[in-house]
Amino acid sequence: MSLDKTYKLVPGTIVFDAEQSARGYHLNQFCMSLMTAENRERYLADERAYLDAWPLREEQKRALLDRDLNAAMDEGGNIYFLAKWGATLGLSFQQMAGSMTGMTEEEYRAMMAGGGRSVEGNRIDHAVLEAAHADAAPPAEHATITGAVFTSHVPAIGAAMDHDKTHEPYWKPVFEGYDFSKEWEKENLPDVIFLVYNDHASAFDLSLIPTFVLGTGASYATADEGYGPRPVPGVEGDPDLAAHIAHSLVRDDFDLTLANEMTVDHGLTVPLSLMFGDVEKWPCKVIPFHVNVVQYPVPSGARCFRLGQALRRAIESYDRPLKVQVWGTGGMSHQLQGPRAGLINREWDNAFLDRLIEDPAGLSEVPHLEYVQEAGSEGIELVMWLIARGALSDVDGSGRVDVKHRFYHVPASNTAVGHLILENRPRAQEPAEGVN
Ligand SMILES: O=C(O)c1ccc(O)c(O)c1
């Protein structure tokens, strides 16, 4: 991977990054289980049996049974998690830290009492650092963004599909708007979809309100939103690409919440159903990206647009030749609450689509108030479309976009349905002029 990870070269040090986290996920979750007296008692009664009940690698179990914290760290353990295990065995932080140094407990305590370990002789060797920087060439091959899909994600659309109502007069015109899209997806199937959506009080309740959540897990089950989970397949993630994107976006100053485990609701599954139809298995991997648009403050259009630009840098610096589509979902105008419920603004929605194509930077400056006033309280979901739009190559002038499909229909339940497909045409991948 072509991101700067020279922190891995600091001697005698393991930096806990997304890769280590993925490696140690179950080990660290096991440690968390020791936060109740009952589980600590069960663990101490039979360590091997307790460990065997967790999906741990044998090396991870061995590390714990051997009280080998260096091995546990190598295996993806993090010291704050492992400290729960250490506490269960009656170890202090000083005993745990000292146990990794090759010193006796007394020697380590004496070193700390004497002022601690000196940094002299414990930095990255100069030649090693120079060699690492010399190797930092851009990757020979990399992932590319092939296009962006924008669509509403109304739950009633999913229910219409799940209950075989797509040919009813009310629904037929909605689904006809996606006939082209299903064919287009067959011809342009990506390896991975980066799917921007909002969770609707399904995976996240009000105990934590993260603004941006990147799914770094291997799979995601469909949420039960009160009507039972939709009868659609679960989603396969791409933990490696997601970890790379996490590293790149955070380095670009976008502070993310990373979710190794979460369920996904209609915000994510309805767009997949619309674009792929009724399938046994989704035909590609999906990286879920949740944006808080439920409780104010929600991110601005401008922030989302800049995030999309950073997302493109992240994807294009991944050193595998994957085809990636970026989807922005939600909207268009709708209001699900209060005496103004049912608000639809065709003119505003269509102007939004026009500007999304022609003037996304200008559109990104539209303030929240305008979304709420003109597109209804839930119309604010449209800021998420700006993330997908920001990821296309015309934004920095290095390419252009082709409009492949545009669709608008009112109503689907309480909502105006909007849909757009833009293909991404970076100049670097176009044949040179005059060459056939
Ligand atoms: O129109 C609707 O019924 C409806 C309900 C819930 C949503 O999240 C939504 O976007 C639309």
Side-chain angles (χ1 to χ4, degrees):
M1 248 129 276
S2 64
L3 293 172
D4 182 6
K5 293 188 181 169
T6 34
Y7 55 71
K8 286 183 190 281
L9 302 176
V10 178
T13 304
I14 294 178
V15 172
F16 187 71
D17 61 7
E19 282 155 33
Q20 280 299 101
S21 172
R23 202 170 148 62
Y25 181 62
H26 293 296
L27 174 59
N28 292 312
Q29 294 298 81
F30 146 80
C31 292
M32 292 302 284
S33 77
L34 299 176
M35 289 178 75
T36 67
E38 190 198 332
N39 282 352
R40 289 193 289 274
E41 207 174 295
R42 281 204 304 117
Y43 180 66
L44 292 173
D46 188 343
E47 293 186 31
R48 181 85 223 187
Y50 192 101
L51 290 171
D52 283 344
W54 282 81
L56 298 173
R57 292 185 294 280
E58 186 53 33
E59 292 83 347
Q60 294 176 317
K61 296 181 200 174
R62 205 54 279 151
L64 298 177
L65 293 168
D66 292 348
R67 313 284 187 253
D68 183 347
L69 274 171
N70 279 323
M73 303 277 298
D74 270 345
E75 283 293 326
N78 171 282
I79 188 58
Y80 294 115
F81 290 77
L82 288 165
K84 316 292 185 216
W85 167 84
T88 302
L89 299 174
L91 300 171
S92 69
F93 266 99
Q94 190 174 83
Q95 286 169 315
M96 287 187 265
S99 79
M100 291 183 265
T101 60
M103 299 168 129
T104 64
E105 209 177 309
E106 292 67 36
E107 285 166 346
Y108 186 78
R109 198 176 319 117
M111 178 183 79
M112 294 315 297
R117 186 185 304 280
S118 167
V119 72
E120 294 308 326
N122 284 302
R123 296 191 175 97
I124 309 173
D125 181 77
H126 189 67
V128 172
L129 196 57
E130 296 238 301
H133 285 143
D135 281 351
E141 48 183 17
H142 63 83
T144 49
I145 296 174
T146 54
V149 171
F150 306 85
T151 179
S152 306
H153 58 212
V154 188
I157 293 179
M161 291 185 80
D162 302 342
H163 297 100
D164 239 349
K165 293 185 173 180
T166 55
H167 294 288
E168 291 184 359
Y170 179 89
W171 286 111
K172 208 163 174 283
V174 174
F175 289 101
E176 278 172 359
Y178 290 82
D179 285 345
F180 170 90
S181 316
K182 289 196 195 71
E183 289 307 309
W184 181 83
E185 280 295 359
K186 277 187 198 141
E187 282 158 28
N188 296 279
L189 190 65
D191 299 296
V192 186
I193 296 167
F194 187 92
L195 203 157
V196 182
Y197 74 110
N198 66 294
D199 177 79
H200 303 76
S202 306
F204 306 116
D205 60 27
L206 295 181
S207 57
L208 273 181
I209 305 168
T211 301
F212 297 123
V213 179
L214 174 66
T216 47
S219 63
Y220 308 90
T222 36
D224 183 342
E225 298 179 54
Y227 307 99
R230 286 194 61 213
V232 292
V235 168
E236 185 187 350
D238 187 334
D240 285 345
L241 175 56
H244 173 91
I245 291 172
H247 187 112
S248 183
L249 287 180
V250 175
R251 197 191 53 179
D252 252 343
D253 295 332
F254 288 92
D255 306 315
L256 305 178
T257 298
L258 306 182
N260 289 318
E261 245 181 272
M262 65 177 172
T263 55
V264 288
D265 73 8
H266 71 266
L268 183 134
T269 63
V270 166
L272 289 173
S273 295
L274 280 168
M275 298 300 288
F276 296 122
D278 187 10
V279 291
E280 294 272 299
K281 183 178 185 299
W282 302 121
C284 60
K285 295 180 176 180
V286 177
I287 296 178
F289 190 83
H290 156 81
V291 180
N292 166 44
V293 287
V294 171
Q295 181 185 315
Y296 278 66
V298 305
S300 67
R303 178 100 178 123
C304 289
F305 191 55
R306 282 197 300 275
L307 174 55
Q309 293 167 61
L311 177 64
R312 182 168 151 233
R313 288 193 286 279
I315 291 171
E316 291 184 350
S317 61
Y318 188 59
D319 59 5
R320 287 183 212 162
L322 299 181
K323 286 184 276 177
V324 182
Q325 282 178 11
V326 183
W327 292 13
T329 76
M332 295 199 81
S333 57
H334 64 307
Q335 174 148 342
L336 300 174
Q337 46 104 358
R340 221 170 66 125
L343 183 131
I344 295 288
N345 189 339
R346 285 173 182 269
E347 291 70 32
W348 192 90
D349 283 345
N350 278 290
F352 183 93
L353 290 171
D354 291 340
R355 287 189 84 188
L356 190 72
I357 297 165
E358 297 297 341
D359 177 27
L363 181 64
S364 75
E365 297 301 327
V366 167
H368 287 148
L369 178 63
E370 183 174 326
Y371 286 89
V372 178
Q373 193 153 253
E374 298 298 324
S377 48
E378 279 64 49
I380 190 66
E381 289 181 346
L382 284 167
V383 292
M384 295 186 288
W385 291 30
L386 287 158
I387 296 179
R389 187 64 181 91
L392 300 182
S393 61
D394 62 326
V395 169
D396 67 1
S398 65
R400 62 183 168 83
V401 295
D402 286 348
V403 181
K404 298 309 280 189
H405 185 53
R406 175 172 172 163
F407 172 67
Y408 184 77
H409 174 84
V410 178
S413 189
N414 306 283
T415 314
V417 174
H419 175 38
L420 198 60
I421 299 179
L422 301 181
E423 280 183 5
N424 191 35
R425 302 254 176 251
R427 250 195 313 279
Q429 278 154 37
E430 299 279 275
E433 231 166 84
V435 177
N436 291 316

